[in-house]
Amino acid sequence: MRIDIITLLPELLKSPFEASILKRAIEKKLVEIYFHDLRDYGLGNYRQVDDYQFGGGAGMVLMIEPIDTCITQLKSQRTYDEVIYMTPDGQTLNQKTANTLSTLQNIIILCGHYKGVDQRVRDHFITREISIGDYVLSGGELGAAVLCDTVIRLLPGVLSDETSALTDSFQDNLLAPPVYTRPALYKEWQVPEILLSGNTPKIEQWREEKAYEHTLNRRPDLLKDK
């Protein structure tokens, strides 16, 4: 997989990809990440990328021309499956979306700023708009990092145990069941006996029941389709 991220703040974005799972995925050549500074495509001597909005109002807007130039250049080199715009009014990111995106080969992610981008960018270049929640950030960079993390960890070979991702919360519209590790007894707090039994079918049944119970208590909305 290749992910090209268009941003005004590439330095803000780089650190999550220099540690942990994301770093290992890059080192194993399971994913390629490229950062494109939008100001490199800015207009004039001052590399202008934003301007006042027509009709008046507070806040600047990212201009269409620098974005068009960057995306067009990238598209001239390869075919992209999605051009994603990170925006608070996009589709809320969920596990189903992450699963779908993890099957793609080439993705562009555009990080918004200020009051957003010229609407013509969204109308003519963007194929999918994604939000990480009902709140506003200073820019799309942190949202892009979250999106990349949730997608990249699903790629085959990224996790040491590939079945781990399949048992994460939301994979089956259920939250994950409780998990325990050693010691089995700590300060009179006992791990459920079933988990120590070695009876795999019974353990799986217990986990399914607890996952359903956990979801019913915390996120009953996820059970609408069940």
Side-chain angles (χ1 to χ4, degrees):
M1 171 179 278
R2 175 186 171 116
I3 302 176
D4 291 271
I5 305 176
I6 303 173
T7 169
L8 283 178
L9 299 170
E11 295 305 320
L12 175 63
L13 256 175
K14 289 179 180 178
S15 59
F17 298 91
E18 295 173 348
S20 190
I21 290 175
L22 299 183
K23 180 182 179 181
R24 292 202 302 270
I26 294 171
E27 291 176 343
K28 293 167 71 173
K29 302 188 184 304
L30 300 173
V31 65
E32 297 177 83
I33 305 292
Y34 296 91
F35 304 99
H36 305 275
D37 189 338
L38 189 58
R39 291 200 181 277
D40 291 341
Y41 303 87
L43 308 181
N45 295 333
Y46 294 99
R47 299 191 298 175
Q48 182 182 2
V49 296
D50 60 340
D51 209 337
Y52 297 103
Q53 55 183 307
F54 284 125
M60 304 293 281
V61 177
L62 289 178
M63 302 163 68
I64 186 172
E65 188 171 347
I67 296 173
D68 179 9
T69 302
C70 182
I71 292 177
T72 299
Q73 178 178 305
L74 290 173
K75 283 186 171 183
S76 70
Q77 300 167 5
R78 66 193 56 83
T79 299
Y80 285 91
D81 302 295
E82 295 275 13
V83 180
I84 299 169
Y85 174 48
M86 303 303 302
T87 175
D89 60 345
Q91 172 197 15
T92 303
L93 177 62
N94 57 30
Q95 193 62 48
K96 182 179 180 180
T97 299
N99 291 344
T100 298
L101 295 177
S102 71
T103 66
L104 305 181
Q105 293 298 314
N106 300 312
I107 298 173
I108 293 174
I109 301 177
L110 172 62
C111 301
H113 261 280
Y114 314 124
K115 295 297 287 185
V117 300
D118 187 303
Q119 181 62 36
R120 291 168 290 184
V121 172
R122 303 173 75 165
D123 292 342
H124 299 287
F125 296 103
I126 302 303
T127 62
R128 187 187 289 259
E129 300 184 346
I130 292 180
S131 166
I132 62 167
D134 295 337
Y135 46 86
V136 178
L137 299 170
S138 299
E141 283 77 15
L142 298 180
V146 169
L147 175 61
C148 288
D149 187 290
T150 193
V151 170
I152 292 171
R153 69 188 305 277
L154 297 173
L155 300 178
V158 170
L159 299 180
S160 55
D161 182 353
E162 293 184 14
T163 62
S164 176
L166 300 178
T167 58
D168 286 340
S169 290
F170 307 110
Q171 280 292 12
D172 191 28
N173 271 12
L174 293 174
L175 300 181
V179 293
Y180 300 85
T181 189
R182 290 178 288 185
L185 179 65
Y186 181 73
K187 292 185 177 180
E188 300 182 357
W189 302 326
Q190 176 68 50
V191 169
E193 288 294 337
I194 184 63
L195 298 179
L196 308 176
S197 68
N199 190 328
T200 300
K202 289 290 186 181
I203 291 173
E204 290 305 313
Q205 181 182 351
W206 179 88
R207 284 174 172 160
E208 290 177 8
E209 292 172 354
K210 288 299 181 181
Y212 185 89
E213 179 184 310
H214 189 42
T215 306
L216 183 63
N217 291 334
R218 297 201 175 192
R219 290 290 305 276
D221 56 295
L222 295 174
L223 299 174
K224 291 179 182 178
D225 298 329
K226 284 193 169 290

